[in-house]
Amino acid sequence: MTRNPFTHWLARAATDPHATTHLWNMGCTAPLLTGRRWDVVQVDFALATAAVRELRAQGHHVGPHLMSGAERATWWPLAPGAGRGLAGVDGVIVYPPGWALLSPPPGKYLRDRVWVFPEEEEGDGEGPRLTSPGHLRSALDAAGRVLARTGRVS
């Protein structure tokens, strides 16, 4: 596995960061646990794609997220405790602390999952800036309205 600036940041969300990087080196996904470093929300793929467009159109930061076309899902890490602010949004699942997100290594497409990281950031020991939960919710609401008008709601 090629080291990516975000490898250390992601691995710290695992119970055993060394075992996680070992799994990644072997070409496997590894479980990252919610509540350790961040909350995780799962968003329907079509809604997430539209929300990314909306975030960018509004000039808001789009933080790291994990995408899977086959699973029709995108997972967003948010600041600890911030996930509950998206509870009740159509097309969004808020996972509880301790839930395992099966993650490929950063920079590698594996099992139809790939991390998308902000291009303007290289990551440091603290990691990339996450998407604002308020901005994400606003973008999801706007994207949901657009998808409903065009009949593309999943």
Side-chain angles (χ1 to χ4, degrees):
M1 171 184 82
T2 305
R3 278 251 179 229
N4 179 294
F6 301 106
T7 302
H8 180 69
W9 175 74
L10 281 175
R12 289 188 321 184
T15 302
D16 184 340
H18 295 293
T20 295
T21 55
H22 179 72
L23 284 169
W24 287 340
N25 286 331
M26 294 176 50
C28 300
T29 57
L32 305 179
L33 301 181
T34 59
R36 291 183 62 84
R37 305 288 301 171
W38 17 261
D39 285 357
V40 171
V41 296
Q42 179 179 319
V43 180
D44 167 80
F45 191 80
L47 181 60
T49 302
V52 167
R53 280 193 302 270
E54 192 66 34
L55 283 163
R56 289 185 176 138
Q58 294 175 9
H60 296 305
H61 173 75
V62 180
H65 50 285
L66 179 64
M67 298 177 68
S68 171
E71 294 176 78
R72 308 287 307 146
T74 299
W75 297 268
W76 248 288
L78 300 173
R84 65 179 155 259
L86 282 93
V89 175
D90 285 341
V92 176
I93 299 169
V94 179
Y95 287 105
W99 179 78
L101 173 64
L102 291 179
S103 170
K108 182 168 173 119
Y109 179 83
L110 182 63
R111 297 200 176 194
D112 195 53
R113 291 184 177 197
V114 66
W115 279 99
V116 178
F117 288 98
E119 292 179 16
E120 72 276 7
E121 297 178 32
E122 292 194 15
D124 56 20
E126 297 305 309
R129 185 166 50 116
L130 301 176
T131 303
S132 157
H135 293 159
L136 181 57
R137 180 166 186 136
S138 174
L140 289 168
D141 289 343
R145 288 190 299 273
V146 169
L147 292 175
R149 275 196 313 271
T150 61
R152 295 178 13 207
V153 177
S154 302

